[in-house]
Amino acid sequence: MSPKSISKEDVEELMKIKRKGEKELEEFFQSMIDEKRNNLGNDLISILIRAEEEGVKISEDELVPFCNLLLVAGNETTTNLISNAVFSIIENHGVYEEVRKNPSLIPQMVEEVLRYRSPAQVLRRIVTKETEIGGQRLQKGEVVLPWLGSANRDEKKFENASHFNIHRSPNHHIAFGHGIHFCLGAPLARLEANIAMTELIKRYSSITLPQGFTVDPIEDSAVYGLRSFPVIVRG
Ligand code: HEM
């Protein structure tokens, strides 16, 4: 659907589907929480329930939204990080072979993917008091969209910012945000990506793009990733 053809009715219909999905997900988590309450284990939801029962920070009202947040914040982002990593190292000639020869480069390669193809592209903030940033006056109540993907390719901060370079050092990207809301799952995301990339690279002597490959991006301005990604692997 091209942007021009989206009508008010389309948006309303989309919002209806979105609310229905959210409600179903809420019910799913609520039933899982109820079930766990009677049978606490060592899983994450049981740990959150225990914390609630011990009066630590998280309350009943917060449990479902927190499970939601963990699912959304922790799932698509990491999935995209892994496929963006595969894409970046096969798209850039010689990098796959280089990391295969020297797997100790994998963590710094993952950092460069986080910078170069940041899975979360944009945040949203509401101005709480009048202020000025970069010569721009901001009024209370205004919405600000800080583009992480743009900051991570800022030429003032990164030399040859549009070049994928796994040897970039330092590499102070902000793919996990900054400040008090810095990503809670950053160590887990890094661990998952490092493990996945290590296993893939160990297993396949080469991964290449099929002939006629065209990029099939996820159509969402906030998320950077591929909707589908066919590759050719050799054992
Ligand atoms: C590549 C993977 C990931 C990326 C790029 C990413 C990115 C981000 C970013 C940019 C923020 C800041 C949001 C803001 O300031 O408004 C954030 C927050 C957060 N992330 Fe991640 N994330 C990733 C993986 C994960 C994982 C695996 C989890 C949990 C399992 C997670 C849980 C969270 C939570 C709970 C917050 C909110 C923290 C707060 O508001 O204090 N994230 N993430």
Side-chain angles (χ1 to χ4, degrees), residues 44 66 69-82 114 118-125 148 174-190 192-193:
L44 186 56
F66 198 70
L69 175 67
L70 285 178
L71 176 74
V72 176
N75 187 2
E76 203 178 345
T77 48
T78 317
T79 309
N80 286 323
L81 173 59
I82 294 167
L114 280 160
S118 313
Q121 284 281 304
V122 64
L123 305 178
R124 187 171 181 274
R125 292 291 187 267
L148 303 179
I174 52 167
F176 290 116
H178 182 74
I180 55 166
H181 290 290
F182 182 82
C183 177
L184 194 67
L188 177 63
R190 285 183 161 125
E192 285 179 38

Side-chain angles (χ1 to χ4, degrees), residues 81-94:
L81 173 59
I82 294 167
S83 50
N84 289 349
V86 178
F87 184 30
S88 302
I89 64 171
I90 63 178
E91 181 198 41
N92 288 278
H93 189 69

Side-chain angles (χ1 to χ4, degrees), residues 86-176:
V86 178
F87 184 30
S88 302
I89 64 171
I90 63 178
E91 181 198 41
N92 288 278
H93 189 69
V95 179
Y96 189 87
E97 294 73 18
E98 188 183 358
V99 284
R100 190 159 200 262
K101 233 183 257 161
N102 184 1
S104 70
L105 294 174
I106 289 173
Q108 69 195 61
M109 176 272 282
V110 168
E111 291 309 307
E112 179 65 347
V113 176
L114 280 160
R115 182 196 72 85
Y116 186 73
R117 291 203 157 103
S118 313
Q121 284 281 304
V122 64
L123 305 178
R124 187 171 181 274
R125 292 291 187 267
I126 295 171
V127 178
T128 53
K129 61 174 187 228
E130 198 188 332
T131 186
E132 189 174 312
I133 303 179
Q136 187 75 37
R137 256 328 318 129
L138 301 172
Q139 303 300 330
K140 188 177 171 185
E142 281 180 343
V143 174
V144 178
L145 302 176
W147 284 89
L148 303 179
S150 173
N152 282 340
R153 292 205 187 192
D154 185 348
E155 287 286 346
K156 288 199 245 71
K157 179 86 183 166
F158 302 99
E159 213 182 307
N160 278 328
S162 295
H163 179 68
F164 180 76
N165 173 12
I166 65 167
H167 298 288
R168 191 177 291 282
S169 175
N171 191 351
H172 299 309
H173 63 74
I174 52 167
F176 290 116

